[in-house]
Amino acid sequence: MPSTTPLPPTVGFDLDMTLIDSRPGIRACYLALAQRTGTYIDAELAVSRLGPPLVDELINWFPAHRVAEAADLYRAMYPAYAITPTPALPGAREAIAAVRDGGGRAIVVTAKHEPNAKLHLAHLGIEPDAVIGGLWAEQKALALREHRAAVYVGDHVGDVRGARTAGALSVGVASGPCDATELHGAGADVVLTALTEFPRWFSDYRTEYVPTGNA
């Protein structure tokens, strides 16, 4: 008889303010970009609203015709300014380990420039099964569907929209710019106060897990 044991799920994670506290590094890179270009950037304000694509922030500081050039410069400067100051958030390594220990796959799906996302993870010794960058909000569903992710974990309402578009369970974590009320309001299925709560939640989820079309 065929086995009825559910397959271990693939779990997707956002990067900025979900697995890593990228505010110190991004702040440093914005300040360096401002100095290099002679353009005022309120770095504190910028890092208070992380999540959307880089160009969505730069349009607040640069004329529209200079945004693409500024984005290219920022991405080129990023490894020198942003990688070393950026720590893992509490529970990040344990969350990835919980998925692996359960026999599942852990992937990272982020709006960040993919090469820079990989640099962060390598620097911190976090090794997901795949890293997909350059996707925001509903676009994240492309990677989540491709990898058949059953769960997507993120700190932003855009991450909730991506999970729901993909048909994945949305797990919000209130470690970024969106609080628990906003995450619930956007339709998150589960909201955690911090990623440190993920291993226990995931253990409970695995005992009740029933594969869906994405799993």
Side-chain angles (χ1 to χ4, degrees):
M1 294 179 62
S3 172
T4 58
T5 302
L7 295 173
T10 294
V11 178
F13 293 88
D14 177 49
L15 184 63
D16 288 352
M17 302 312 300
T18 298
L19 291 175
I20 64 174
D21 183 354
S22 50
R23 291 173 297 183
I26 290 177
R27 182 187 298 109
C29 196
Y30 274 133
L31 292 174
L33 179 67
Q35 183 175 31
R36 178 80 65 90
T37 61
T39 300
Y40 174 73
I41 299 173
D42 186 337
E44 293 294 336
L45 178 59
V47 300
S48 74
R49 52 192 183 195
L50 296 179
L54 172 64
V55 294
D56 288 11
E57 182 61 44
L58 293 179
I59 195 66
N60 296 305
W61 314 109
F62 291 87
H65 69 278
R66 293 187 60 201
V67 167
E69 177 187 359
D72 287 343
L73 179 57
Y74 172 95
R75 294 185 183 111
M77 296 169 64
Y78 192 93
Y81 289 94
I83 303 302
T84 300
T86 296
L89 280 167
R93 295 179 179 85
E94 292 82 358
I96 299 293
V99 176
R100 293 269 181 74
D101 291 346
R105 298 178 70 248
I107 65 172
V108 171
V109 183
T110 174
K112 189 179 292 296
H113 184 50
E114 188 173 305
N116 290 338
K118 290 179 176 178
L119 287 175
H120 274 300
L121 294 164
H123 175 73
L124 295 170
I126 298 173
E127 300 180 353
D129 294 284
V131 179
I132 305 95
L135 299 176
W136 162 241
E138 289 83 356
Q139 295 174 342
K140 293 188 175 188
L142 299 172
L144 296 174
R145 286 171 174 159
E146 179 183 352
H147 289 269
R148 298 183 177 182
V151 177
Y152 185 59
V153 184
D155 67 285
H156 199 283
V157 294
D159 299 322
V160 177
R161 300 203 306 270
R164 293 181 67 84
T165 301
L169 189 80
S170 172
V171 177
V173 57
S175 51
C178 300
D179 64 21
T181 300
E182 291 176 280
L183 294 168
H184 277 300
D189 297 293
V190 177
V191 176
L192 308 176
T193 301
L195 201 59
T196 51
E197 299 172 5
F198 177 85
R200 177 175 291 182
W201 173 83
F202 186 69
S203 177
D204 293 341
Y205 166 78
R206 285 284 294 125
T207 65
E208 301 173 359
Y209 171 63
V210 177
T212 66
N214 286 344

